[in-house]
Short mmCIF file of all heavy atoms in Angstrom, two decimals:
data_model
loop_
_atom_site.label_atom_id
_atom_site.label_comp_id
_atom_site.label_asym_id
_atom_site.label_seq_id
_atom_site.Cartn_x
_atom_site.Cartn_y
_atom_site.Cartn_z
N MET O 1 0.85 -1.18 0.00
CA MET O 1 0.00 0.00 0.00
C MET O 1 0.89 1.24 0.00
O MET O 1 1.88 1.30 0.72
CB MET O 1 -0.92 -0.02 1.22
CG MET O 1 -1.89 1.13 1.25
SD MET O 1 -2.97 1.06 2.68
CE MET O 1 -4.47 0.60 1.89
N THR O 2 0.55 2.19 -0.83
CA THR O 2 1.34 3.41 -0.92
C THR O 2 0.74 4.50 -0.05
O THR O 2 -0.39 4.39 0.42
CB THR O 2 1.41 3.90 -2.37
OG1 THR O 2 0.09 4.15 -2.83
CG2 THR O 2 2.08 2.88 -3.26
N SER O 3 1.48 5.56 0.12
CA SER O 3 1.06 6.64 1.00
C SER O 3 0.16 7.64 0.28
O SER O 3 0.13 7.70 -0.95
CB SER O 3 2.29 7.36 1.54
OG SER O 3 2.95 8.02 0.48
N PHE O 4 -0.52 8.44 1.08
CA PHE O 4 -1.36 9.50 0.51
C PHE O 4 -0.53 10.45 -0.35
O PHE O 4 -0.91 10.74 -1.48
CB PHE O 4 -2.08 10.27 1.62
CG PHE O 4 -2.93 11.40 1.09
CD1 PHE O 4 -4.24 11.18 0.76
CD2 PHE O 4 -2.39 12.66 0.87
CE1 PHE O 4 -5.03 12.20 0.23
CE2 PHE O 4 -3.16 13.68 0.35
CZ PHE O 4 -4.49 13.45 0.04
N PRO O 5 0.63 10.95 0.14
CA PRO O 5 1.41 11.88 -0.70
C PRO O 5 1.84 11.28 -2.03
O PRO O 5 1.80 11.96 -3.06
CB PRO O 5 2.62 12.22 0.17
CG PRO O 5 2.17 11.98 1.57
CD PRO O 5 1.22 10.82 1.48
N ALA O 6 2.20 9.99 -2.03
CA ALA O 6 2.60 9.35 -3.28
C ALA O 6 1.43 9.28 -4.25
O ALA O 6 1.58 9.56 -5.45
CB ALA O 6 3.15 7.96 -3.00
N GLN O 7 0.27 8.92 -3.76
CA GLN O 7 -0.91 8.84 -4.63
C GLN O 7 -1.34 10.24 -5.10
O GLN O 7 -1.76 10.40 -6.24
CB GLN O 7 -2.06 8.13 -3.92
CG GLN O 7 -1.81 6.66 -3.71
CD GLN O 7 -1.58 5.92 -5.01
OE1 GLN O 7 -2.20 6.18 -6.02
NE2 GLN O 7 -0.66 4.98 -4.96
N ALA O 8 -1.24 11.23 -4.23
CA ALA O 8 -1.59 12.60 -4.62
C ALA O 8 -0.67 13.09 -5.74
O ALA O 8 -1.12 13.81 -6.64
CB ALA O 8 -1.51 13.53 -3.41
N ARG O 9 0.61 12.69 -5.71
CA ARG O 9 1.52 13.05 -6.80
C ARG O 9 1.05 12.42 -8.12
O ARG O 9 1.13 13.05 -9.17
CB ARG O 9 2.95 12.62 -6.49
CG ARG O 9 3.68 13.56 -5.57
CD ARG O 9 5.17 13.26 -5.50
NE ARG O 9 5.46 11.93 -4.95
CZ ARG O 9 5.52 11.65 -3.66
NH1 ARG O 9 5.31 12.60 -2.76
NH2 ARG O 9 5.79 10.42 -3.26
N HIS O 10 0.55 11.19 -8.06
CA HIS O 10 0.03 10.54 -9.26
C HIS O 10 -1.21 11.27 -9.79
O HIS O 10 -1.37 11.40 -11.00
CB HIS O 10 -0.32 9.07 -9.00
CG HIS O 10 0.86 8.19 -8.79
ND1 HIS O 10 1.92 8.11 -9.66
CD2 HIS O 10 1.16 7.35 -7.79
CE1 HIS O 10 2.80 7.24 -9.22
NE2 HIS O 10 2.37 6.77 -8.05
N VAL O 11 -2.05 11.72 -8.90
CA VAL O 11 -3.25 12.48 -9.32
C VAL O 11 -2.84 13.72 -10.09
O VAL O 11 -3.44 14.07 -11.10
CB VAL O 11 -4.12 12.88 -8.11
CG1 VAL O 11 -5.25 13.81 -8.53
CG2 VAL O 11 -4.68 11.65 -7.41
N ARG O 12 -1.79 14.37 -9.65
CA ARG O 12 -1.33 15.62 -10.26
C ARG O 12 -0.43 15.42 -11.48
O ARG O 12 -0.11 16.38 -12.17
CB ARG O 12 -0.60 16.45 -9.21
CG ARG O 12 -1.52 16.95 -8.12
CD ARG O 12 -0.76 17.73 -7.05
NE ARG O 12 -1.66 18.30 -6.07
CZ ARG O 12 -2.07 17.67 -4.98
NH1 ARG O 12 -1.64 16.45 -4.72
NH2 ARG O 12 -2.90 18.25 -4.14
N ASP O 13 -0.02 14.20 -11.77
CA ASP O 13 0.91 13.90 -12.85
C ASP O 13 0.18 13.85 -14.19
O ASP O 13 -0.48 12.87 -14.52
CB ASP O 13 1.61 12.57 -12.58
CG ASP O 13 2.70 12.24 -13.57
OD1 ASP O 13 2.79 12.91 -14.63
OD2 ASP O 13 3.46 11.29 -13.31
N SER O 14 0.31 14.89 -14.98
CA SER O 14 -0.42 14.99 -16.25
C SER O 14 0.10 14.03 -17.31
O SER O 14 -0.53 13.88 -18.35
CB SER O 14 -0.37 16.42 -16.77
OG SER O 14 0.98 16.80 -17.02
N THR O 15 1.23 13.36 -17.07
CA THR O 15 1.73 12.38 -18.04
C THR O 15 1.01 11.03 -17.91
O THR O 15 1.10 10.20 -18.81
CB THR O 15 3.25 12.15 -17.89
OG1 THR O 15 3.52 11.57 -16.62
CG2 THR O 15 4.01 13.46 -18.05
N LEU O 16 0.30 10.83 -16.80
CA LEU O 16 -0.45 9.58 -16.61
C LEU O 16 -1.81 9.67 -17.29
O LEU O 16 -2.35 10.76 -17.50
CB LEU O 16 -0.64 9.31 -15.11
CG LEU O 16 0.64 9.07 -14.31
CD1 LEU O 16 0.31 8.93 -12.83
CD2 LEU O 16 1.36 7.84 -14.81
N SER O 17 -2.37 8.52 -17.58
CA SER O 17 -3.70 8.50 -18.21
C SER O 17 -4.75 8.99 -17.21
O SER O 17 -4.56 8.88 -15.99
CB SER O 17 -4.05 7.07 -18.63
OG SER O 17 -4.29 6.27 -17.50
N PRO O 18 -5.85 9.52 -17.72
CA PRO O 18 -6.92 9.97 -16.81
C PRO O 18 -7.43 8.85 -15.90
O PRO O 18 -7.71 9.09 -14.73
CB PRO O 18 -8.02 10.44 -17.76
CG PRO O 18 -7.31 10.83 -19.01
CD PRO O 18 -6.15 9.86 -19.11
N GLN O 19 -7.49 7.64 -16.42
CA GLN O 19 -7.97 6.52 -15.61
C GLN O 19 -7.00 6.21 -14.47
O GLN O 19 -7.41 5.91 -13.36
CB GLN O 19 -8.18 5.26 -16.47
CG GLN O 19 -9.32 5.38 -17.45
CD GLN O 19 -8.97 6.24 -18.68
OE1 GLN O 19 -7.81 6.47 -18.99
NE2 GLN O 19 -9.99 6.71 -19.37
N ARG O 20 -5.70 6.29 -14.77
CA ARG O 20 -4.69 6.04 -13.72
C ARG O 20 -4.74 7.14 -12.67
O ARG O 20 -4.60 6.88 -11.47
CB ARG O 20 -3.29 5.97 -14.35
CG ARG O 20 -2.16 5.83 -13.36
CD ARG O 20 -2.27 4.52 -12.57
NE ARG O 20 -1.29 4.45 -11.53
CZ ARG O 20 -1.52 4.72 -10.23
NH1 ARG O 20 -2.72 5.06 -9.81
NH2 ARG O 20 -0.56 4.65 -9.35
N ARG O 21 -4.97 8.37 -13.09
CA ARG O 21 -5.07 9.48 -12.15
C ARG O 21 -6.31 9.33 -11.27
O ARG O 21 -6.27 9.60 -10.07
CB ARG O 21 -5.08 10.81 -12.91
CG ARG O 21 -3.74 11.08 -13.60
CD ARG O 21 -3.77 12.29 -14.48
NE ARG O 21 -3.92 13.48 -13.67
CZ ARG O 21 -4.14 14.68 -14.20
NH1 ARG O 21 -4.25 14.85 -15.50
NH2 ARG O 21 -4.28 15.72 -13.39
N LEU O 22 -7.42 8.88 -11.85
CA LEU O 22 -8.64 8.64 -11.08
C LEU O 22 -8.42 7.52 -10.07
O LEU O 22 -8.85 7.62 -8.92
CB LEU O 22 -9.80 8.29 -12.01
CG LEU O 22 -11.14 8.01 -11.33
CD1 LEU O 22 -11.67 9.27 -10.63
CD2 LEU O 22 -12.15 7.51 -12.35
N SER O 23 -7.73 6.49 -10.49
CA SER O 23 -7.42 5.39 -9.58
C SER O 23 -6.56 5.87 -8.42
O SER O 23 -6.77 5.47 -7.27
CB SER O 23 -6.69 4.28 -10.36
OG SER O 23 -6.32 3.24 -9.50
N ALA O 24 -5.62 6.75 -8.69
CA ALA O 24 -4.79 7.32 -7.62
C ALA O 24 -5.63 8.15 -6.67
O ALA O 24 -5.42 8.13 -5.45
CB ALA O 24 -3.67 8.16 -8.22
N LEU O 25 -6.62 8.87 -7.21
CA LEU O 25 -7.52 9.65 -6.35
C LEU O 25 -8.33 8.73 -5.44
O LEU O 25 -8.52 9.02 -4.26
CB LEU O 25 -8.44 10.53 -7.18
CG LEU O 25 -9.41 11.40 -6.39
CD1 LEU O 25 -8.67 12.37 -5.48
CD2 LEU O 25 -10.35 12.14 -7.33
N ARG O 26 -8.76 7.60 -5.97
CA ARG O 26 -9.49 6.63 -5.14
C ARG O 26 -8.60 6.13 -4.00
O ARG O 26 -9.06 5.97 -2.88
CB ARG O 26 -9.97 5.45 -5.99
CG ARG O 26 -11.15 5.80 -6.84
CD ARG O 26 -11.67 4.56 -7.55
NE ARG O 26 -12.74 4.92 -8.45
CZ ARG O 26 -12.76 4.61 -9.73
NH1 ARG O 26 -11.79 3.91 -10.27
NH2 ARG O 26 -13.76 4.98 -10.48
N GLU O 27 -7.33 5.88 -4.31
CA GLU O 27 -6.39 5.47 -3.27
C GLU O 27 -6.24 6.56 -2.22
O GLU O 27 -6.16 6.27 -1.02
CB GLU O 27 -5.03 5.12 -3.88
CG GLU O 27 -5.01 3.83 -4.63
CD GLU O 27 -5.19 2.63 -3.73
OE1 GLU O 27 -4.63 2.60 -2.63
OE2 GLU O 27 -5.90 1.69 -4.15
N CYS O 28 -6.19 7.81 -2.66
CA CYS O 28 -6.12 8.93 -1.71
C CYS O 28 -7.34 8.91 -0.79
O CYS O 28 -7.22 9.10 0.42
CB CYS O 28 -6.08 10.27 -2.45
SG CYS O 28 -4.52 10.66 -3.25
N ALA O 29 -8.51 8.68 -1.38
CA ALA O 29 -9.73 8.65 -0.57
C ALA O 29 -9.75 7.47 0.39
O ALA O 29 -10.32 7.56 1.47
CB ALA O 29 -10.96 8.62 -1.48
N LEU O 30 -9.11 6.37 0.00
CA LEU O 30 -9.02 5.24 0.92
C LEU O 30 -8.11 5.56 2.10
O LEU O 30 -8.37 5.14 3.22
CB LEU O 30 -8.49 4.00 0.18
CG LEU O 30 -9.48 3.29 -0.72
CD1 LEU O 30 -8.78 2.22 -1.54
CD2 LEU O 30 -10.61 2.68 0.10
N HIS O 31 -7.05 6.30 1.83
CA HIS O 31 -6.12 6.69 2.90
C HIS O 31 -6.73 7.72 3.83
O HIS O 31 -6.43 7.76 5.02
CB HIS O 31 -4.83 7.28 2.31
CG HIS O 31 -3.91 6.26 1.74
ND1 HIS O 31 -3.14 5.43 2.52
CD2 HIS O 31 -3.65 5.93 0.46
CE1 HIS O 31 -2.44 4.65 1.74
NE2 HIS O 31 -2.73 4.92 0.48
N CYS O 32 -7.55 8.56 3.27
CA CYS O 32 -8.09 9.69 4.04
C CYS O 32 -9.57 9.81 3.74
O CYS O 32 -9.96 10.47 2.79
CB CYS O 32 -7.35 10.96 3.64
SG CYS O 32 -8.00 12.42 4.43
N ALA O 33 -10.38 9.17 4.53
CA ALA O 33 -11.83 9.19 4.32
C ALA O 33 -12.51 9.69 5.59
O ALA O 33 -12.98 8.89 6.40
CB ALA O 33 -12.32 7.81 3.93
N PRO O 34 -12.56 11.01 5.77
CA PRO O 34 -13.12 11.54 7.02
C PRO O 34 -14.57 11.15 7.26
O PRO O 34 -15.01 11.13 8.40
CB PRO O 34 -12.96 13.06 6.87
CG PRO O 34 -12.71 13.32 5.44
CD PRO O 34 -12.14 12.06 4.86
N TYR O 35 -15.32 10.83 6.19
CA TYR O 35 -16.73 10.47 6.36
C TYR O 35 -16.98 9.01 6.04
O TYR O 35 -18.12 8.60 5.85
CB TYR O 35 -17.62 11.31 5.44
CG TYR O 35 -17.29 12.77 5.39
CD1 TYR O 35 -16.89 13.36 4.19
CD2 TYR O 35 -17.35 13.55 6.52
CE1 TYR O 35 -16.57 14.71 4.12
CE2 TYR O 35 -17.03 14.90 6.47
CZ TYR O 35 -16.65 15.46 5.26
OH TYR O 35 -16.33 16.79 5.20
N GLY O 36 -15.93 8.20 5.91
CA GLY O 36 -16.04 6.86 5.36
C GLY O 36 -15.83 6.97 3.86
O GLY O 36 -16.01 8.04 3.27
N PHE O 37 -15.43 5.88 3.22
CA PHE O 37 -15.05 5.97 1.81
C PHE O 37 -16.18 6.46 0.91
O PHE O 37 -16.01 7.40 0.14
CB PHE O 37 -14.52 4.64 1.28
CG PHE O 37 -14.21 4.70 -0.19
CD1 PHE O 37 -13.06 5.31 -0.63
CD2 PHE O 37 -15.10 4.19 -1.12
CE1 PHE O 37 -12.78 5.42 -1.98
CE2 PHE O 37 -14.83 4.28 -2.47
CZ PHE O 37 -13.67 4.89 -2.91
N ARG O 38 -17.34 5.83 0.99
CA ARG O 38 -18.43 6.19 0.05
C ARG O 38 -18.89 7.63 0.19
O ARG O 38 -19.08 8.33 -0.80
CB ARG O 38 -19.61 5.24 0.22
CG ARG O 38 -19.30 3.86 -0.28
CD ARG O 38 -20.46 2.90 -0.05
NE ARG O 38 -20.46 2.00 -1.18
CZ ARG O 38 -21.52 1.74 -1.91
NH1 ARG O 38 -22.68 2.26 -1.62
NH2 ARG O 38 -21.42 0.91 -2.93
N ALA O 39 -19.06 8.08 1.41
CA ALA O 39 -19.50 9.46 1.63
C ALA O 39 -18.40 10.45 1.22
O ALA O 39 -18.68 11.50 0.63
CB ALA O 39 -19.89 9.67 3.08
N THR O 40 -17.16 10.10 1.52
CA THR O 40 -16.05 10.97 1.13
C THR O 40 -15.95 11.04 -0.38
O THR O 40 -15.78 12.12 -0.96
CB THR O 40 -14.72 10.47 1.73
OG1 THR O 40 -14.83 10.51 3.16
CG2 THR O 40 -13.55 11.32 1.30
N TRP O 41 -16.06 9.88 -1.05
CA TRP O 41 -16.00 9.86 -2.52
C TRP O 41 -17.12 10.70 -3.12
O TRP O 41 -16.89 11.50 -4.03
CB TRP O 41 -16.06 8.42 -3.04
CG TRP O 41 -15.84 8.36 -4.51
CD1 TRP O 41 -16.78 8.14 -5.46
CD2 TRP O 41 -14.60 8.57 -5.18
NE1 TRP O 41 -16.19 8.18 -6.71
CE2 TRP O 41 -14.87 8.45 -6.56
CE3 TRP O 41 -13.30 8.84 -4.76
CZ2 TRP O 41 -13.87 8.59 -7.52
CZ3 TRP O 41 -12.31 8.98 -5.73
CH2 TRP O 41 -12.60 8.86 -7.08
N HIS O 42 -18.33 10.55 -2.61
CA HIS O 42 -19.45 11.35 -3.10
C HIS O 42 -19.18 12.84 -2.90
O HIS O 42 -19.41 13.66 -3.80
CB HIS O 42 -20.75 10.95 -2.40
CG HIS O 42 -21.93 11.73 -2.87
ND1 HIS O 42 -22.40 12.84 -2.22
CD2 HIS O 42 -22.72 11.56 -3.96
CE1 HIS O 42 -23.42 13.33 -2.87
NE2 HIS O 42 -23.65 12.57 -3.93
N HIS O 43 -18.68 13.19 -1.74
CA HIS O 43 -18.35 14.59 -1.47
C HIS O 43 -17.34 15.12 -2.48
O HIS O 43 -17.48 16.23 -3.00
CB HIS O 43 -17.81 14.74 -0.04
CG HIS O 43 -17.26 16.10 0.24
ND1 HIS O 43 -18.07 17.17 0.54
CD2 HIS O 43 -15.99 16.56 0.23
CE1 HIS O 43 -17.31 18.23 0.71
NE2 HIS O 43 -16.04 17.89 0.53
N LEU O 44 -16.30 14.33 -2.77
CA LEU O 44 -15.27 14.76 -3.72
C LEU O 44 -15.83 14.94 -5.12
O LEU O 44 -15.53 15.93 -5.80
CB LEU O 44 -14.13 13.75 -3.76
CG LEU O 44 -13.27 13.65 -2.52
CD1 LEU O 44 -12.26 12.53 -2.66
CD2 LEU O 44 -12.59 14.97 -2.21
N VAL O 45 -16.66 14.01 -5.55
CA VAL O 45 -17.25 14.10 -6.89
C VAL O 45 -18.08 15.37 -7.02
O VAL O 45 -18.00 16.09 -8.02
CB VAL O 45 -18.09 12.84 -7.20
CG1 VAL O 45 -18.93 13.04 -8.44
CG2 VAL O 45 -17.19 11.63 -7.34
N VAL O 46 -18.86 15.67 -6.00
CA VAL O 46 -19.71 16.86 -6.04
C VAL O 46 -18.90 18.14 -5.87
O VAL O 46 -19.02 19.08 -6.66
CB VAL O 46 -20.82 16.76 -4.97
CG1 VAL O 46 -21.60 18.05 -4.86
CG2 VAL O 46 -21.75 15.60 -5.27
N ALA O 47 -18.05 18.19 -4.85
CA ALA O 47 -17.31 19.41 -4.53
C ALA O 47 -16.31 19.78 -5.63
O ALA O 47 -16.16 20.96 -5.95
CB ALA O 47 -16.59 19.26 -3.19
N ALA O 48 -15.63 18.79 -6.19
CA ALA O 48 -14.63 19.07 -7.23
C ALA O 48 -15.23 19.06 -8.63
O ALA O 48 -14.55 19.35 -9.60
CB ALA O 48 -13.50 18.05 -7.15
N ARG O 49 -16.53 18.73 -8.70
CA ARG O 49 -17.24 18.69 -9.99
C ARG O 49 -16.54 17.75 -10.99
O ARG O 49 -16.25 18.13 -12.12
CB ARG O 49 -17.39 20.09 -10.56
CG ARG O 49 -18.18 21.02 -9.66
CD ARG O 49 -18.31 22.44 -10.19
NE ARG O 49 -17.09 23.07 -10.65
CZ ARG O 49 -16.17 23.66 -9.86
NH1 ARG O 49 -16.34 23.67 -8.56
NH2 ARG O 49 -15.10 24.21 -10.36
N ILE O 50 -16.29 16.51 -10.55
CA ILE O 50 -15.63 15.53 -11.41
C ILE O 50 -16.65 15.08 -12.47
O ILE O 50 -17.70 14.55 -12.13
CB ILE O 50 -15.13 14.32 -10.60
CG1 ILE O 50 -14.07 14.78 -9.59
CG2 ILE O 50 -14.56 13.25 -11.52
CD1 ILE O 50 -13.59 13.70 -8.64
N PRO O 51 -16.33 15.30 -13.75
CA PRO O 51 -17.27 14.92 -14.81
C PRO O 51 -17.23 13.42 -15.10
O PRO O 51 -16.28 12.73 -14.76
CB PRO O 51 -16.74 15.70 -16.02
CG PRO O 51 -15.28 15.82 -15.77
CD PRO O 51 -15.13 15.93 -14.27
N ARG O 52 -18.28 12.92 -15.72
CA ARG O 52 -18.31 11.50 -16.10
C ARG O 52 -17.20 11.20 -17.10
O ARG O 52 -16.57 10.15 -17.04
CB ARG O 52 -19.66 11.13 -16.70
CG ARG O 52 -20.75 11.09 -15.68
CD ARG O 52 -21.99 10.42 -16.27
NE ARG O 52 -23.09 10.49 -15.34
CZ ARG O 52 -23.32 9.58 -14.41
NH1 ARG O 52 -22.51 8.57 -14.28
NH2 ARG O 52 -24.36 9.70 -13.62
N ARG O 53 -16.99 12.10 -18.04
CA ARG O 53 -15.87 11.96 -18.99
C ARG O 53 -14.72 12.79 -18.44
O ARG O 53 -14.73 14.01 -18.51
CB ARG O 53 -16.26 12.47 -20.37
CG ARG O 53 -17.17 11.55 -21.11
CD ARG O 53 -17.40 11.95 -22.54
NE ARG O 53 -16.90 13.27 -22.89
CZ ARG O 53 -17.18 13.90 -24.00
NH1 ARG O 53 -17.99 13.36 -24.87
NH2 ARG O 53 -16.68 15.08 -24.25
N LEU O 54 -13.74 12.11 -17.90
CA LEU O 54 -12.63 12.80 -17.23
C LEU O 54 -11.91 13.78 -18.14
O LEU O 54 -11.42 14.81 -17.67
CB LEU O 54 -11.63 11.78 -16.69
CG LEU O 54 -12.12 10.92 -15.55
CD1 LEU O 54 -11.09 9.88 -15.20
CD2 LEU O 54 -12.44 11.78 -14.35
N THR O 55 -11.84 13.48 -19.42
CA THR O 55 -11.12 14.36 -20.33
C THR O 55 -11.79 15.73 -20.47
O THR O 55 -11.16 16.67 -20.96
CB THR O 55 -10.98 13.71 -21.72
OG1 THR O 55 -12.28 13.34 -22.19
CG2 THR O 55 -10.08 12.49 -21.64
N ASP O 56 -13.04 15.85 -20.03
CA ASP O 56 -13.73 17.14 -20.07
C ASP O 56 -13.15 18.13 -19.06
O ASP O 56 -13.23 19.34 -19.26
CB ASP O 56 -15.23 16.98 -19.81
CG ASP O 56 -15.94 16.33 -20.97
OD1 ASP O 56 -15.35 16.20 -22.07
OD2 ASP O 56 -17.11 15.92 -20.79
N ASP O 57 -12.59 17.62 -17.96
CA ASP O 57 -12.04 18.51 -16.92
C ASP O 57 -11.07 17.73 -16.02
O ASP O 57 -11.42 17.29 -14.94
CB ASP O 57 -13.17 19.10 -16.07
CG ASP O 57 -12.69 20.10 -15.03
OD1 ASP O 57 -11.50 20.48 -15.05
OD2 ASP O 57 -13.50 20.49 -14.18
N LEU O 58 -9.85 17.56 -16.50
CA LEU O 58 -8.85 16.82 -15.72
C LEU O 58 -8.44 17.57 -14.46
O LEU O 58 -7.98 16.96 -13.50
CB LEU O 58 -7.63 16.52 -16.58
CG LEU O 58 -7.86 15.47 -17.67
CD1 LEU O 58 -6.64 15.36 -18.57
CD2 LEU O 58 -8.18 14.13 -17.05
N ASP O 59 -8.61 18.88 -14.45
CA ASP O 59 -8.28 19.65 -13.24
C ASP O 59 -9.18 19.29 -12.07
O ASP O 59 -8.83 19.55 -10.92
CB ASP O 59 -8.37 21.15 -13.52
CG ASP O 59 -7.26 21.63 -14.44
OD1 ASP O 59 -6.19 20.97 -14.50
OD2 ASP O 59 -7.47 22.66 -15.11
N ALA O 60 -10.33 18.68 -12.34
CA ALA O 60 -11.23 18.27 -11.27
C ALA O 60 -10.57 17.26 -10.34
O ALA O 60 -10.80 17.28 -9.13
CB ALA O 60 -12.52 17.69 -11.85
N LEU O 61 -9.71 16.41 -10.90
CA LEU O 61 -9.01 15.43 -10.07
C LEU O 61 -8.06 16.12 -9.10
O LEU O 61 -7.96 15.73 -7.93
CB LEU O 61 -8.25 14.45 -10.96
CG LEU O 61 -9.09 13.63 -11.92
CD1 LEU O 61 -8.21 12.78 -12.83
CD2 LEU O 61 -10.09 12.77 -11.18
N VAL O 62 -7.40 17.15 -9.58
CA VAL O 62 -6.48 17.91 -8.72
C VAL O 62 -7.27 18.65 -7.64
O VAL O 62 -6.87 18.68 -6.47
CB VAL O 62 -5.63 18.89 -9.56
CG1 VAL O 62 -4.77 19.76 -8.67
CG2 VAL O 62 -4.77 18.11 -10.55
N ARG O 63 -8.42 19.22 -8.02
CA ARG O 63 -9.26 19.90 -7.02
C ARG O 63 -9.69 18.93 -5.93
O ARG O 63 -9.69 19.27 -4.74
CB ARG O 63 -10.50 20.52 -7.68
CG ARG O 63 -10.22 21.73 -8.52
CD ARG O 63 -11.49 22.46 -8.92
NE ARG O 63 -12.43 21.65 -9.66
CZ ARG O 63 -12.47 21.55 -10.98
NH1 ARG O 63 -11.57 22.17 -11.72
NH2 ARG O 63 -13.39 20.81 -11.57
N ALA O 64 -10.03 17.71 -6.33
CA ALA O 64 -10.45 16.70 -5.36
C ALA O 64 -9.30 16.32 -4.43
O ALA O 64 -9.49 16.20 -3.22
CB ALA O 64 -10.99 15.47 -6.07
N ALA O 65 -8.11 16.13 -4.98
CA ALA O 65 -6.95 15.80 -4.14
C ALA O 65 -6.65 16.96 -3.18
O ALA O 65 -6.33 16.73 -2.01
CB ALA O 65 -5.74 15.50 -5.02
N ASP O 66 -6.77 18.17 -3.67
CA ASP O 66 -6.56 19.34 -2.81
C ASP O 66 -7.58 19.38 -1.67
O ASP O 66 -7.26 19.80 -0.56
CB ASP O 66 -6.64 20.64 -3.62
CG ASP O 66 -5.46 20.82 -4.56
OD1 ASP O 66 -4.43 20.12 -4.39
OD2 ASP O 66 -5.57 21.66 -5.47
N GLU O 67 -8.80 18.94 -1.96
CA GLU O 67 -9.85 18.91 -0.95
C GLU O 67 -9.50 17.93 0.18
O GLU O 67 -9.78 18.18 1.35
CB GLU O 67 -11.17 18.48 -1.61
CG GLU O 67 -12.34 18.38 -0.71
CD GLU O 67 -13.09 19.68 -0.53
OE1 GLU O 67 -12.89 20.60 -1.33
OE2 GLU O 67 -13.87 19.75 0.43
N LEU O 68 -8.86 16.82 -0.16
CA LEU O 68 -8.48 15.82 0.83
C LEU O 68 -7.21 16.16 1.60
O LEU O 68 -7.02 15.71 2.72
CB LEU O 68 -8.27 14.46 0.16
CG LEU O 68 -9.50 13.66 -0.19
CD1 LEU O 68 -9.08 12.39 -0.89
CD2 LEU O 68 -10.32 13.34 1.04
N GLN O 69 -6.34 16.92 0.98
CA GLN O 69 -5.00 17.18 1.53
C GLN O 69 -5.01 17.62 3.01
O GLN O 69 -4.24 17.07 3.80
CB GLN O 69 -4.29 18.24 0.69
CG GLN O 69 -2.83 18.41 1.03
CD GLN O 69 -1.98 17.27 0.53
OE1 GLN O 69 -2.15 16.81 -0.59
NE2 GLN O 69 -1.09 16.79 1.35
N PRO O 70 -5.85 18.54 3.44
CA PRO O 70 -5.81 18.97 4.85
C PRO O 70 -6.17 17.85 5.84
O PRO O 70 -5.78 17.90 6.99
CB PRO O 70 -6.85 20.09 4.93
CG PRO O 70 -7.07 20.54 3.54
CD PRO O 70 -6.78 19.35 2.67
N HIS O 71 -6.88 16.83 5.35
CA HIS O 71 -7.31 15.74 6.24
C HIS O 71 -6.31 14.59 6.29
O HIS O 71 -6.45 13.68 7.08
CB HIS O 71 -8.66 15.20 5.79
CG HIS O 71 -9.73 16.24 5.77
ND1 HIS O 71 -10.31 16.73 6.91
CD2 HIS O 71 -10.29 16.90 4.73
CE1 HIS O 71 -11.20 17.65 6.57
NE2 HIS O 71 -11.21 17.76 5.26
N ALA O 72 -5.32 14.62 5.39
CA ALA O 72 -4.33 13.53 5.32
C ALA O 72 -3.34 13.65 6.47
O ALA O 72 -2.95 14.75 6.87
CB ALA O 72 -3.59 13.59 3.99
N THR O 73 -2.97 12.52 7.01
CA THR O 73 -1.98 12.52 8.10
C THR O 73 -0.76 11.75 7.70
O THR O 73 -0.73 10.97 6.84
CB THR O 73 -2.57 11.87 9.36
OG1 THR O 73 -3.04 10.57 9.05
CG2 THR O 73 -3.68 12.72 9.91
#
């Protein structure tokens, strides 16, 4: 299992595929789920406005990781 900071770096790495970046964000949410995984994931999708087609707004993944960052230990 990797750390939150390592996964957050993958989320921000624009050379990775959108699917790999989304997978890294899921790992971040597993490491840091202040409301439990499902509720935290729902919160991130809504708050960061993650689109169904990731290529429409890849910055949404970074916004979501930024949202989790203060809660990571």
Side-chain angles (χ1 to χ4, degrees):
M1 184 179 252
T2 60
S3 67
F4 179 90
Q7 290 302 321
R9 280 192 297 277
H10 290 307
V11 172
R12 292 178 175 88
D13 186 348
S14 62
T15 64
L16 296 175
S17 71
Q19 292 77 19
R20 175 63 186 100
R21 293 173 68 189
L22 180 65
S23 177
L25 180 61
R26 285 186 185 126
E27 287 292 320
C28 286
L30 284 171
H31 284 285
C32 176
Y35 316 118
F37 176 78
R38 290 177 145 231
T40 298
W41 186 254
H42 180 264
H43 171 79
L44 292 175
V45 168
V46 172
R49 300 178 312 279
I50 297 174
R52 288 192 186 272
R53 286 188 350 192
L54 292 175
T55 55
D56 288 348
D57 184 9
L58 289 173
D59 290 335
L61 299 175
V62 175
R63 288 191 302 269
D66 290 344
E67 180 87 16
L68 281 178
Q69 189 74 43
H71 302 286
T73 55

